[in-house]
Amino acid sequence: MSRVSTEDRAQEPPEHARFAAYLAELEQVTGADEIELVGDVLTDPDRTMAQGAVLRHLDRRAAQLCAGPAWEGWAQAMARVVIRHPFLVRRLQEWSLCRAVALRLPWRRDDLLVSSSWLQLRIAAGSDTEALGVLAESGRTKRIRHTARTGLARRGGRGTP
């Protein structure tokens, strides 16, 4: 097993080191400090790197919280801190749609159809037969349509080719 040498680390671009540090901090943060830290990370001069770190954090936390009661407060607070970052806003909205589908809350077919391939594939791998039917018919890619059809077939629903 090879180890990264001290010399290699010294040659590492500074944004790589900051990215790793941000991820480590974001994994440890709790409570109200989380939102403050996300805001701080988003002030980094390398916007792409900062948004990448926040995106990883957002995905991790959303996956942890989306089925529970803490979701609403967390999502509202996160929405306020990412408001100036359209990609992060969209990802948070897509997590809300994912949550609605998973918990069988009201959701709109058109919202699912205009969502990203990332979300469609995530939902196509799920178990909501209504969403699977929509994606089997009109999913964005062949992979999404196939995944949804396979899910429907496993559940004894329509969608087998």
Side-chain angles (χ1 to χ4, degrees), residues 16-131:
H16 290 199
R18 290 195 318 273
F19 183 79
Y22 288 150
L23 291 180
E25 287 180 61
L26 287 164
E27 281 187 29
Q28 300 300 317
V29 72
T30 58
D33 293 340
E34 176 186 11
I35 301 304
E36 183 179 346
L37 179 56
V38 167
D40 289 348
V41 170
L42 290 172
T43 65
D44 190 282
D46 186 334
R47 283 182 56 120
T48 302
M49 179 276 301
Q51 288 182 60
V54 170
L55 177 64
R56 281 202 193 176
H57 175 71
L58 190 151
D59 284 346
R60 183 178 56 80
R61 290 288 286 152
Q64 290 171 346
L65 298 173
C66 76
W71 169 263
E72 291 296 330
W74 177 83
Q76 289 172 5
M78 191 61 68
R80 286 190 296 274
V81 77
V82 302
I83 192 74
R84 292 188 182 98
H85 305 274
F87 182 79
L88 296 174
V89 169
R90 180 170 180 180
R91 182 58 68 95
L92 187 58
Q93 290 168 339
E94 289 191 337
W95 271 107
S96 292
L97 178 56
C98 185
R99 178 179 191 266
V101 170
L103 297 180
R104 292 177 169 56
L105 301 170
W107 55 275
R108 293 184 22 219
R109 180 182 200 277
D110 290 344
D111 291 341
L112 181 56
L113 292 176
V114 300
S115 67
S116 69
S117 295
W118 170 84
L119 179 64
Q120 286 190 8
L121 191 57
R122 184 174 188 89
I123 290 176
S127 62
D128 183 275
T129 54
E130 182 182 357

